[in-house]
Amino acid sequence: EAQVTQNPRYLITVTGKKLTVTCSQNMNHEYMSWYRQDPGLGLRQIYYSMNVEVTDKGDVPEGYKVSRKEKRNFPLILESPSPNQTSLYFCASRYPGGTEAFFGQGTRLTVV
Amino acid sequence: KQEVTQIPAALSVPEGENLVLNCSFTDSAIYNLQWFRQDPGKGLTSLLLIQSSQREQTSGRLNASLDKSSGRSTLYIAASQPGDSATYLCAVRPNTNAGKSTFGDGTTLTVKP
């Protein structure tokens, strides 16, 4: 089954403790991206990657890092999480060009 | 900067009604527009993708239209069912950078039995 898998689904952590949210897709998609969803602000793009070793900033990249060492994986790294990064995070993937995007089930992160 | 607006923010209809959800965008130089469905606490499921050269796309009871010149798209749902209750989001991808998409805030639809 074609899917985008995020882990963990839920995470509560403390300020400053580094964490990684993993994202993996089994569709051989070149393009992957991360979004955060907040009430009243909608979905905002954090980072995206057009292919292996190619990443670029989205609209809200501050406080986040990503890497794309393999085509199927695109982890999101929070080096020093802060409470304002409490949010619902989504990973997405697709082929290049005008193809539909597939989303993961989301990771609900709470930073206390 | 592209801005995407969805009106209304919430909509409640009785089962069986036909309905239209609206999506407007400020920059008409788009590559494509995609409609998604999101159930509470869940991820986004793609419904329809319309390329900039297309006027509409259909899938079952859903029909999406695109008018680039006026910066508008509509999602038409025929014979609504309680299972259609969800939040519907539209997203536009710009011409200049195929990596970035801008989402609307969504319309939350409730279909009452």
Side-chain angles (χ1 to χ4, degrees):
Chain A
E1 181 190 352
Q3 59 185 2
V4 179
T5 304
Q6 295 178 225
N7 278 298
R9 293 288 313 279
Y10 302 92
L11 179 60
I12 301 175
T13 190
V14 296
T15 299
K17 185 176 181 183
K18 180 179 178 180
L19 66 91
T20 299
V21 184
T22 64
C23 174
S24 179
Q25 49 92 7
N26 62 0
M27 296 167 278
N28 203 36
H29 287 165
E30 284 84 1
Y31 173 87
M32 298 184 74
S33 64
W34 277 101
Y35 295 85
R36 60 178 290 175
Q37 186 176 37
D38 302 287
L41 297 175
L43 269 157
R44 294 177 293 170
Q45 194 169 42
I46 303 171
Y47 268 96
Y48 63 95
S49 169
M50 300 296 281
N51 214 325
V52 176
E53 302 291 0
V54 179
T55 63
D56 208 346
K57 296 177 181 179
D59 295 316
V60 288
E62 294 78 19
Y64 304 95
K65 287 175 59 177
V66 293
S67 69
R68 188 88 182 276
K69 294 183 171 56
E70 309 167 272
K71 200 173 191 179
R72 64 180 292 128
N73 296 323
F74 190 44
L76 180 69
I77 304 156
L78 285 73
E79 294 270 3
S80 182
S82 62
N84 64 12
Q85 293 179 297
T86 293
S87 185
L88 180 58
Y89 291 86
F90 290 103
C91 178
S93 74
R94 60 173 171 82
Y95 290 113
T99 62
E100 66 177 323
F102 293 83
F103 278 72
Q105 289 299 297
T107 295
R108 186 165 293 281
L109 171 66
T110 302
V111 183
V112 298
Chain B
K1 180 185 175 186
Q2 177 75 271
E3 293 182 3
V4 180
T5 304
Q6 292 186 247
I7 295 174
L11 181 63
S12 181
V13 300
E15 181 177 4
E17 274 207 3
N18 302 324
L19 61 101
V20 174
L21 307 180
N22 297 293
C23 172
S24 61
F25 45 95
T26 54
D27 186 348
S28 62
I30 66 169
Y31 193 68
N32 60 34
L33 183 146
Q34 191 166 1
W35 282 93
F36 293 89
R37 169 189 173 132
Q38 185 178 25
D39 294 287
K42 299 287 182 64
L44 279 70
T45 301
S46 175
L47 297 174
L48 290 164
L49 173 71
I50 311 177
Q51 304 294 348
S52 61
S53 59
Q54 298 175 320
R55 297 283 293 181
E56 65 178 317
Q57 283 284 340
T58 298
S59 176
R61 294 182 294 109
L62 305 180
N63 176 278
S65 69
L66 175 64
D67 184 343
K68 260 189 18 173
S69 59
S70 66
R72 292 181 183 176
S73 176
T74 62
L75 179 66
Y76 174 82
I77 303 177
S80 59
Q81 304 169 358
D84 294 331
S85 298
T87 296
Y88 292 81
L89 298 110
C90 66
V92 299
R93 194 180 305 165
N95 266 336
T96 54
N97 186 334
K100 302 181 74 170
S101 295
T102 303
F103 282 77
D105 289 341
T107 294
T108 299
L109 172 65
T110 303
V111 181
K112 300 177 185 175

